[in-house]
Each structure stands twice: as C-alpha cells, then as structure tokens.
Amino acid sequence: MTKPNILLLTIDTLRADTLGYAGYKKPITPNIDKLASQGIRFTQAITPGSWTQAAFPGIITSTYACMYGGCLGRLSPERPSPVKIMGDEGGYETAAFSTSPLLSRTYGYDRKFQRFNDLNPGEKSPKIRGIKGGQALLRQPIVHQIAKLFGQNWRPPKLYATAAELNDAAMPWLASIGEPFKAWLHYMDVHWPYHLEDELTKPKDIAEAWADLSHLHEVNWYGAPVSPEQKARYIRLYEEAIAYTDAQIGRLMDFLDETGLAENTIIVLVSDHGEEFLERRHWGHVELNLYDEILKVPMLMRIPGVSGNQVIGQQVSTMDIMPTLLELAGCRIPEKVLGKSLVPLWDGDPADYGVEVAIGERWRDTSHMIAVRTEEYKYIWDDAKPNEPLLFDLRRDPEERHNIAAEHPDVVQALHRHVEAQLERMRSTAPAEMSKEPVLDEEIVERLRGLGYVE
C-alpha cells in the first residue's frame, strides 16, 4: 500500500473564532472552510504554549516547552524527532519552509529535516528611521509624498516572507520530489504587524502603517490605551491578513489538485496560538495569557480515504499531531512522545484516546505558569503566586471571568496533580547544564524587535 504524503501547514497567530466554519461574521476564509468541509475539524484543540517558542516544541516534537532545558534556546537534541523517524524508518523525503526567525536554523528547527528553507525577506528600514526624529517623520504622509517623487517607497520593511513567497518556494519542491514526502510550511502573515506591505503604495497608507507600529509598541510594552477606532482598524488589518493567507492556502490546494498530489496527501492545518484583542487589557499574544483566546486554536485534518465534514468536539492537543501522523504513516511512535494519536476519534473507539486534560504553559527561566484544561474547567497556576490559583467553569463562564477556586477545593486539588506532574516532567528531563540562547545576528534581532518579541 502506498504511503500517504504529509503536508503540515502552520499559521502563526490565527484565532480559532475567526474562521467561517466557526461562525465568524465575515466570510474571510472560504478556502480554509472548504478544506474543513472535506476533512475533520477539531473544535476544542488546545496549544501547549502561549507563544511561538512555547507552542512549537509540542507541535514538532510532541514534548512540552519546559522540558529538556526549556524552549528559549536551540531545540534540544534530546527531544524526540518524529521527522527523523519518518525519514530514516518510513522512507519519507522531508522538508520544511519557515518564515519565522524563531523557527529557523538559528533555533535548531532544521533538525533532522533533509531540506530546510529559512525564508528571509532581507529588507531593512529606510535610513531616515535611524536619525533623530526620523520615526516621527515617517508617520507624516507628506514625507512619503516627497519620497515618491524621487521613486522611493519608505514603507515598513517586511519582517517575514509572504504566503505567496512561501508557496513559490515550496511548490516546485513538492512537484519534483519523489513520494512519499513530509513537508512543513509555516505562514506568518497573520502575525503582527498584519500589514500587507506590498500593498502599501499610497503616502497616507504608508504613514498610517508607521503610526501603527509605533502605537502597538507603546501598547504592548508600556500599557498605552487603544481607542475603539484603533481597535477596529487593527482587527480589520488582522482580517485582511487572514483573507490574504486563506487565498494562498487556496492556491496551494489548487496546485495539489492540478498535480494529482491531493489524492494521496494528508493535510493538517493548525495555528500555534491565538491572539488577544484586549480581552485581558493587552494586544497580541502576551505570554502571561493562558486563556482560551490564546490557547484554543483551529485544527483541521484532511485524510485520503476518511470521510469529510466531520466535527470532533472532544478536547485534544496540538501535541497529538505528530503521533497521529506517525500512525497514519505506518511508523512507530517513540516513547518520549507525550501526545496521543487521534486516529481512534474517527476510526475506532473514541474512548481509546483516553486523554482528559490538555496543558498549556508559559515557560521562562525565572517563571512558570501552567494551565490545566478539561472540557469543563480551566485551572491556572503561577509559581509567582502559588497559593492564588485560578479556576474557571468553561461551560458556565466561557470568557473565564469568574475565579471559583475557593468554591471548589476538590477540583483545584485534582487538577493541581497535573501541575505537579508537569513540574516533574521538567525536573526529570532537565539537562546538567542549561543551554545558552543562540547568538543572534543583527538582522534577526531587528526582525524579532519588529515582531514585538524584544524591546
């Protein structure tokens, strides 16, 4: 029997409630909705991390961020490698196409991929930004009108390759490589700053984009207010970025149909985390947010031979993606993998999945927050305030506003056992020496600064 191809599509920062099939008010995701109708959609998929570096060890290695020395440095070689098993034992050709500086060779994400592509737009800010008062000038339309007279476009630089550029890099490889293949494509366009830079040609729009960058920096680092008008603008930009990404997902699906690859290709589409729109007085994905606007993510699977338009409401984790793909590829699942195969949920007895909790965490060298989620409750423990846990009834209080920990000490005690188990996982896998964060070149630092990860 021919092994299936595997295509993992990850979309950075995509909220679960912004998709058409989830009831979003605007039809901005027709292609993702179509993919969902052809496959299986998981309505309670939970990410193990509140930001990119904390989420992706779970997706790629099925281990938690806090394990093996943490997630801030290079991906530890001690973590399991499902990609290696697929390549060495399953006969798969493996490749990754990454647009994020945090998911790059620098951070060890090329590990065990036979081909790894760091897609970097290589753009720099206009020199005027570096002079005193330059940033204020860039927020003035007249400056860009003058620049345009000299054939210059002083728009903000791209911080990541676009979805179109990502597809352009990946599709020739997909068309030329022998089957079976396992490919991972990471799309960044929905991540702040949301702007579609190639469309910034009018002086007014360029000036507004620079103003957006300045304002959101003040919001996220210094608590500046966001007016209703600014909130509406940022959400509109976010929607436009989603619509653009969706169109490129549609382009990729058309390519698979035209080349005949669709017939034997498993497609997984998932986000690493969501995005906060001031639900907790922040914008973006502040690491301290372990609420569902961040932890609940869209996750879809289209599998040849499996009926489409299936909806699975049972809670699952993105930690389960790799063990599921290993089973579908006919490969062994290594012992270190902590997720569970999802195959029983559509092909067998759902009780065989047997996972009642999902864990999401915020991990740093100096602090640790852990959320334990069941379908009924969310429990949040913070090592900075260990005696002040939070407990929410997700069915009665889906917005997680009312802490009921004092009223349900039995539930707190039961869920705290999972916190203790998580802390033991961290301790038992800790290396003798903590790995150092990689030395970053100036270009990566500037990209991370623009994305809001460093001040």
Side-chain angles (χ1 to χ4, degrees):
M1 182 176 179
T2 305
K3 285 181 175 286
N5 302 314
I6 295 170
L7 188 57
L8 173 62
L9 309 178
T10 55
I11 302 177
D12 215 297
T13 320
L14 179 62
R15 281 177 65 123
D17 60 2
T18 54
L19 301 168
Y21 71 77
Y24 196 60
K25 60 185 181 295
K26 296 181 182 179
I28 56 176
T29 56
N31 295 291
I32 295 175
D33 296 340
K34 180 180 178 181
L35 184 62
S37 72
Q38 297 169 341
I40 303 165
R41 56 187 185 269
F42 299 85
T43 60
Q44 285 198 87
I46 306 302
T47 177
S50 60
W51 60 306
T52 297
Q53 277 179 289
F56 265 96
I59 295 174
I60 298 300
T61 74
S62 194
T63 56
Y64 290 105
C66 68
M67 300 172 67
Y68 302 102
C71 60
L72 304 181
R74 289 176 57 83
L75 203 64
S76 170
E78 296 302 314
R79 294 183 186 269
S81 178
V83 171
K84 175 178 171 59
I85 291 173
M86 289 181 190
D88 292 354
E89 302 176 21
Y92 278 78
E93 298 284 344
T94 61
F97 301 82
S98 175
T99 54
S100 170
L102 292 176
L103 305 174
S104 61
R105 283 188 178 86
T106 301
Y107 284 93
Y109 276 87
D110 59 329
R111 175 174 167 248
K112 305 305 179 184
F113 280 99
Q114 296 161 359
R115 173 173 176 173
F116 191 90
N117 298 260
D118 270 328
L119 302 179
N120 183 348
E123 294 190 356
K124 296 183 179 180
S125 292
K127 291 182 179 179
I128 187 176
R129 189 183 189 187
I131 67 174
K132 186 176 181 179
Q135 296 203 43
L137 289 173
L138 288 169
R139 298 195 290 271
Q140 305 302 318
I142 186 64
V143 171
H144 300 287
Q145 292 173 7
I146 295 170
K148 195 172 184 179
L149 292 175
F150 291 92
Q152 299 294 313
N153 184 336
W154 284 348
R155 62 164 173 77
K158 291 180 185 177
L159 301 174
Y160 39 74
T162 66
E165 292 165 338
L166 175 58
N167 282 347
D168 288 345
M171 289 192 299
W173 183 86
L174 294 170
S176 65
I177 199 66
E179 300 181 59
F181 62 76
K182 195 278 182 194
W184 166 34
L185 280 62
H186 182 67
Y187 296 85
M188 277 287 287
D189 308 80
V190 181
H191 194 290
W192 177 256
Y194 310 151
H195 304 121
L196 304 176
E197 284 89 358
D198 288 337
E199 297 181 9
L200 292 175
T201 57
K202 297 179 180 178
K204 179 177 180 293
D205 293 339
I206 298 170
E208 284 185 341
W210 282 110
D212 293 339
L213 294 178
S214 177
H215 179 239
L216 262 296
H217 178 84
E218 296 295 316
V219 169
N220 287 332
W221 288 96
Y222 303 109
V226 178
S227 70
E229 294 76 19
Q230 288 169 320
K231 179 179 179 180
R233 170 174 168 77
Y234 297 149
I235 290 177
R236 178 177 60 78
L237 290 173
Y238 183 77
E239 291 170 339
E240 291 173 355
I242 292 175
Y244 167 76
T245 303
D246 179 82
Q248 289 299 319
I249 295 293
R251 178 185 166 215
L252 181 63
M253 295 303 104
D254 290 344
F255 163 80
L256 295 177
D257 289 337
E258 293 164 3
T259 56
L261 291 171
E263 296 179 7
N264 191 40
T265 299
I266 296 168
I267 299 171
V268 178
L269 185 147
V270 68
S271 178
D272 57 344
H273 54 74
E275 186 85 327
E276 178 186 345
F277 296 149
L278 302 178
E279 287 91 345
R280 317 290 159 182
R281 296 182 297 178
H282 295 98
W283 196 277
H285 40 283
V286 176
E287 296 173 32
L288 300 177
N289 186 331
L290 294 179
Y291 296 89
D292 273 6
E293 60 267 16
I294 295 292
L295 293 191
K296 194 174 181 181
V297 296
M299 189 166 89
L300 316 171
M301 293 185 179
R302 190 178 79 181
I303 305 166
V306 175
S307 299
N309 206 27
Q310 294 193 50
V311 179
I312 292 178
Q314 187 168 338
Q315 178 178 270
V316 300
S317 170
T318 61
M319 297 268 289
D320 302 325
I321 291 173
M322 279 303 175
T324 301
L325 294 178
L326 286 169
E327 179 171 346
L328 293 172
C331 298
R332 68 180 177 89
I333 301 175
E335 291 183 3
K336 287 184 176 181
V337 160
L338 296 179
K340 293 286 294 292
S341 172
L342 298 170
V343 172
L345 296 182
W346 67 81
D347 186 18
D349 185 353
D352 290 342
Y353 174 65
V355 181
E356 295 182 357
V357 304
I359 291 176
E361 64 184 341
R362 185 264 190 184
W363 186 89
R364 284 279 182 180
D365 290 339
T366 56
S367 63
H368 200 175
M369 294 177 63
I370 299 172
V372 180
R373 192 186 192 279
T374 70
E375 293 184 7
E376 186 173 1
Y377 293 106
K378 166 83 70 64
Y379 174 71
I380 301 177
W381 176 86
D382 184 348
D383 69 355
K385 299 178 288 185
N387 297 318
E388 301 176 30
L390 303 176
L391 181 70
F392 303 100
D393 185 329
L394 297 176
R395 292 174 179 173
R396 296 183 179 182
D397 179 25
E399 294 185 355
E400 303 168 270
R401 297 294 179 184
H402 307 291
N403 180 15
I404 58 172
E407 301 163 37
H408 297 276
D410 54 332
V411 177
V412 168
Q413 184 178 28
L415 296 182
H416 191 74
R417 294 192 190 103
H418 296 282
V419 170
E420 293 171 343
Q422 185 74 349
L423 296 175
E424 178 55 31
R425 290 186 191 103
M426 179 179 67
R427 286 189 291 263
S428 65
T429 59
E433 294 184 10
M434 295 294 288
S435 61
K436 296 180 180 179
E437 292 190 44
V439 177
L440 305 178
D441 62 36
E442 183 179 345
E443 187 172 26
I444 289 182
V445 171
E446 284 302 309
R447 291 175 69 195
L448 292 175
R449 181 175 291 116
L451 293 169
Y453 288 117
V454 296
E455 169 64 289

